[in-house]
Amino acid sequence: MRSALYNKLLLVFGPRPPLNWLLLFLVSILVLIALLGSSSTNGFDSVATSARPDIFSNYRRLKEQAVSDYLELKKLGANPSNDFDLCGKERENYVPCYNVSANQLAGFSDGEEFDRHCEISREHQYCLVRPPKEYKIPLTWPSGRDVIWSGNVKLSKDQFLSSGSMTKRLMLLEENQISFHSDDDEMTVDGVKDYSHQIAEMIGLGSDADFHEAGVRNVLDIGCGFGSFGAHLLSLRLMAVCVAAYESTGSQVQLALERGLPAIIGNFISKQLPFPSLSYDMVHCTQCGIFWDDKDGMFLIEVDRILKPGGYIVLTSPRSRQQRNKGSISTPLEEYTQKLCWNLVAKQEDTFTWQKTTDARCYISKHGTFPLCNGDDGPSYYKPLVRCISGTGSKRWIPIQNRTSGSLGSSELAIHGINPEDFYEDLEFWRSALRNYWSLLSPLIFSDHPKRPGDEDPMPPYNMVRNVMDMNAHYGGFSTALLEARKSVWVMNVVPVGERNTLPTILDQGFAGVLHSWCEPFPTYPRTYDMLHAKGLLSHLATEKCSTVDLIFEMDRILRPEGWVIISDKVAPIEAARTLVTQLRWEARVIDLQDGSDQRLLVCQKPFVRK
Ligand SMILES: *[C@@H]1O[C@H](CO)[C@@H](O)[C@H](O)[C@H]1NC(C)=O
Ligand SMILES: *[C@@H]1O[C@H](CO)[C@@H](O)[C@H](O)[C@H]1NC(C)=O
């Protein structure tokens, strides 16, 4: 069966063509497009201009995109060596859009200077972010969860020594390694295990193995320390995603991702998190540095927005700016939580646990609560924080305790407006696509006689990648296929702004996911993903009028050395992307699946440049 598959596969290969030749090739494609474009324009003019205006305008945009990509490429081609230079050492841990001093200069204050402002730090210096001198390829999962190379993350010894909070204490610095105590390490008094157990007991469970029974499947961990709590929750088959502010050194997000744990840079100082309302079953914060009673409780309202009905809020040592008034029985924090219809489930030592109401009428019937938001709240991308309660009118207002376990059934799909047949067909497609992809993750396909691993060669191991990003995730079918095939991965499912917003469907399957505009850099540190997958993204980008060149450079930044890229798209954007990625020194092969379609795969591996 594999050999049939192999026979169906045609690998297009050859030596790298010189740049001039490539430019000539691009020009001829452009001429061709222009010719075809003008003839079909005439066709539309005479027959169907009014009937098919959007096809025409999409087409024109594609054409414009091709021209601008060509011009950009030509400009880049001025580089005498034809390859791009490495950025300076100061960019080793570069995350665009978080330049605090530039934001201050632009007039942002009140904490907003720490927000993401991509419009300010736009610059077009194309260079490749280099790895630190001591960078080493991370250990594979699960060893990589407990031991990381200290040269791979930016962490000073002082930061390490001063790390005092519970989740941070669990590290030991060895020569060039940082190790975290694993769960089954009996030598240590592991605070995380006890802590997780304590939370389970507080919400009335016998042990933390029972979180699923209480309807808890996904957890948003705000400010995750070094990720140990999340690592423990993952071992209990919960999806725990860390979200923390950008930090130039000692970043919690960088550390968590280096350990192979789901994490993303984010804050909610003035803008909503890029998640829809009613997304998470539990929101957790241990000393995450937020003053919860600031801004008249706006931060608490944002937590309420992303939480599902009946979901839990766990705050340990919550900070409060205002001191308790003398003689008053309740702190401002308690007042806000009452106004939000959160029910205090338990308080033990410094840990408070509330449950969000399951009854949307609570907000109306009770005097003094926040008002309900009007209408559908739409995709949350750079949306300002709101002073109203979201999600009460949503079809997704279902208490977590009432949810059926396992995959989405047809009644849930109906809630998401998805045709079950469409959904299962998509899943079937990804099951077979994955079998295909996995066999391509081998340096063998870049050799002079490219081939997939045959019977005599072992298949790539199940744990060869850990942090995977699906850059255009649709329903999350690629994640499902990976998990069904028992690959040891987690997937960041990205729903591009402008595509159909399927993020609620992704999150309701218990996956990690986020909204993102690929016209901008992704909020993560360099070298944090082992594999990037993008189906149809290049075509989507053309309709959004953003630059393919910027995208490919961004992919290079977030991909670790020797990491993999699989791009699936139509012939023309794939060929253009190949031209570009070879200039970035990626190994690249275009693969024609010989299924009669104009779809091609571009399989790439980023080299480990040590300079
Ligand atoms: C941040 O912005 C300042 C002021 O515009 C600039 O001088 C500096 O080079 C920027 N830093 C980075 C890392 O881009
Ligand atoms: C949830 O389940 C409870 C008990 O079975 C039921 O009384 C309640 O109506 C359900 N709520 C919703 C919104 O389905």
Side-chain angles (χ1 to χ4, degrees):
M1 191 186 148
R2 183 182 294 156
S3 80
L5 198 73
Y6 179 61
N7 288 339
K8 275 179 72 183
L9 188 91
L10 177 78
L11 293 162
V12 181
F13 56 93
R16 286 184 197 176
L19 186 75
N20 288 343
W21 188 89
L22 286 169
L23 290 177
L24 193 71
F25 170 73
L26 266 169
V27 171
S28 14
I29 284 194
L30 283 167
V31 169
L32 208 64
I33 288 177
L35 284 174
L36 289 173
S38 59
S39 68
S40 54
T41 307
N42 292 339
F44 281 132
D45 278 342
S46 54
V47 253
T49 309
S50 55
R52 316 288 295 272
D54 52 334
I55 291 187
F56 172 60
S57 67
N58 278 348
Y59 192 76
R60 193 173 56 199
R61 262 183 280 163
L62 265 166
K63 233 165 66 182
E64 283 168 3
Q65 178 67 30
V67 173
S68 80
D69 277 355
Y70 163 71
L71 292 176
E72 218 165 334
L73 213 57
K74 197 173 149 204
K75 201 167 65 200
L76 299 170
N79 183 334
S81 69
N82 291 351
D83 281 341
F84 293 100
D85 291 331
L86 298 178
C87 311
K89 199 173 148 44
E90 75 287 349
R91 289 249 168 141
E92 282 172 359
N93 293 287
Y94 179 53
V95 183
C97 307
Y98 290 96
N99 185 334
V100 177
S101 51
N103 293 345
Q104 278 169 334
L105 276 176
F108 288 101
S109 59
D110 258 355
E112 286 185 35
E113 66 272 31
F114 300 107
D115 260 346
R116 183 179 154 84
H117 292 289
C118 297
E119 71 284 5
I120 286 166
S121 31
R122 262 220 188 289
E123 22 81 25
H124 276 276
Q125 181 204 348
Y126 288 115
C127 62
L128 300 170
V129 172
R130 70 168 81 204
K133 213 169 105 231
E134 311 80 38
Y135 184 85
K136 287 188 170 64
I137 301 296
L139 305 179
T140 52
W141 183 266
S143 322
R145 176 191 58 199
D146 303 323
V147 178
I148 63 171
W149 302 110
S150 46
N152 289 12
V153 292
K154 198 172 178 191
L155 189 69
S156 69
K157 208 149 202 163
D158 286 347
Q159 276 169 326
F160 167 69
L161 292 172
S162 67
S163 65
S165 80
M166 185 207 61
T167 45
K168 291 183 184 179
R169 219 184 307 133
L170 309 165
M171 327 191 296
L172 282 174
L173 203 53
E174 285 161 20
E175 228 177 304
N176 54 357
Q177 291 181 333
I178 300 172
S179 59
F180 304 83
H181 300 305
S182 69
D183 249 1
D184 36 56
D185 189 346
E186 288 176 21
M187 296 289 287
T188 59
V189 191
D190 188 336
V192 167
K193 227 172 172 176
D194 292 342
Y195 177 66
S196 158
H197 206 81
Q198 181 194 0
I199 293 170
E201 281 180 352
M202 287 171 83
I203 64 175
L205 301 173
S207 97
D208 57 5
D210 300 335
F211 274 132
H212 279 271
E213 278 169 37
V216 179
R217 281 195 308 186
N218 66 0
V219 177
L220 187 69
D221 196 8
I222 302 171
C224 50
F226 295 148
S228 297
F229 182 55
H232 178 68
L233 294 181
L234 287 183
S235 75
L236 299 172
R237 294 180 303 111
L238 302 183
M239 171 50 74
V241 178
C242 168
V243 63
Y246 170 74
E247 295 159 288
S248 58
T249 63
S251 164
Q252 318 183 42
V253 170
Q254 190 185 35
L255 249 127
L257 286 166
E258 188 65 27
R259 297 181 65 186
L261 307 171
I264 186 169
I265 300 173
N267 66 42
F268 42 105
I269 294 166
S270 64
K271 303 285 195 311
Q272 294 181 353
L273 291 167
F275 309 119
S277 51
L278 315 181
S279 292
Y280 288 93
D281 305 324
M282 182 183 276
V283 173
H284 171 262
C285 141
T286 304
Q287 299 173 358
C288 56
I290 294 170
F291 288 107
W292 288 105
D293 53 356
D294 261 9
K295 294 205 184 178
D296 299 327
M298 289 283 260
F299 303 143
L300 294 165
I301 298 176
E302 174 63 0
V303 167
D304 183 81
R305 184 183 71 81
I306 59 171
L307 203 61
K308 284 183 182 291
Y312 297 96
I313 306 100
V314 181
L315 306 184
T316 293
S317 309
R319 300 213 298 180
S320 175
R321 187 100 62 183
Q322 300 166 44
Q323 286 300 311
R324 175 189 281 257
N325 295 330
K326 282 227 171 67
S328 152
I329 13 168
S330 62
T331 63
L333 184 60
E334 282 164 38
E335 280 164 27
Y336 288 129
T337 56
Q338 279 169 15
K339 284 175 84 170
L340 282 164
C341 289
W342 291 0
N343 175 32
L344 183 66
V345 181
K347 174 183 182 311
Q348 279 181 20
E349 293 149 42
D350 289 340
T351 302
F352 294 72
T353 306
W354 291 272
Q355 186 174 24
K356 174 170 168 169
T357 185
T358 56
D359 183 3
R361 286 167 307 182
C362 172
Y363 302 101
I364 306 162
S365 61
K366 224 162 99 180
H367 184 69
T369 60
F370 295 104
L372 303 184
C373 302
N374 291 325
D376 176 29
D377 50 358
S380 307
Y381 196 66
Y382 287 129
K383 273 184 64 174
L385 295 178
V386 290
R387 285 201 62 74
C388 56
I389 304 293
S390 304
T392 51
S394 166
K395 286 186 195 152
R396 291 173 62 241
W397 183 280
I398 299 167
I400 62 170
Q401 293 78 7
N402 284 40
R403 193 170 47 194
T404 52
S405 59
S407 56
L408 294 182
S410 47
S411 61
E412 279 127 328
L413 289 172
I415 289 171
H416 291 271
I418 293 170
N419 174 354
E421 228 167 81
D422 183 26
F423 186 82
Y424 292 114
E425 224 168 74
D426 182 69
L427 189 52
E428 205 44 57
F429 168 83
W430 283 114
R431 285 181 180 130
S432 83
L434 174 69
R435 284 192 290 272
N436 218 351
Y437 286 0
W438 203 262
S439 66
L440 295 171
L441 301 182
S442 159
L444 282 177
I445 71 157
F446 302 125
S447 62
D448 285 342
H449 303 287
K451 66 193 233 33
R452 299 183 164 198
D455 291 331
E456 70 279 16
D457 310 299
M459 281 287 272
Y462 76 105
N463 64 349
M464 77 171 290
V465 291
R466 168 67 186 168
N467 298 355
V468 174
M469 182 188 284
D470 192 356
M471 301 173 73
N472 186 12
H474 196 41
Y475 297 145
F478 185 50
S479 308
T480 312
L482 281 163
L483 295 177
E484 281 180 354
R486 300 188 166 273
K487 308 301 183 196
S488 67
V489 305
W490 71 274
V491 181
M492 177 59 82
N493 291 282
V494 182
V495 176
V497 173
E499 288 278 319
R500 175 172 169 202
N501 185 7
T502 48
L503 187 54
T505 314
I506 287 167
L507 295 169
D508 284 1
Q509 294 173 82
F511 297 150
V514 72
L515 270 179
H516 181 68
S517 161
W518 282 115
C519 302
E520 295 180 349
F522 191 82
T524 193
Y525 288 83
R527 303 173 296 279
T528 39
Y529 285 87
D530 303 318
M531 182 175 148
L532 304 175
H533 170 251
K535 182 173 195 294
L537 185 65
L538 298 176
S539 298
H540 162 77
L541 221 61
T543 66
E544 294 282 303
K545 283 194 168 179
C546 1
S547 153
T548 312
V549 180
D550 284 355
L551 178 82
I552 301 284
F553 270 85
E554 177 61 0
M555 289 168 76
D556 186 82
R557 185 184 72 87
I558 66 184
L559 191 64
R560 73 157 163 82
E562 296 180 11
W564 293 87
V565 176
I566 300 179
I567 302 176
S568 160
D569 222 303
K570 300 204 183 77
V571 180
I574 286 285
E575 285 299 340
R578 183 190 30 188
T579 308
L580 198 60
V581 302
T582 47
Q583 274 190 288
L584 267 64
R585 308 176 214 180
W586 293 3
E587 295 279 3
R589 278 268 184 244
V590 174
I591 292 165
D592 182 348
L593 291 167
Q594 298 281 286
D595 56 359
S597 76
D598 65 343
Q599 294 285 310
R600 297 288 182 276
L601 288 183
L602 179 62
V603 179
C604 315
Q605 191 177 25
K606 174 178 162 174
F608 190 169
V609 181
R610 303 162 201 262
K611 254 204 299 191

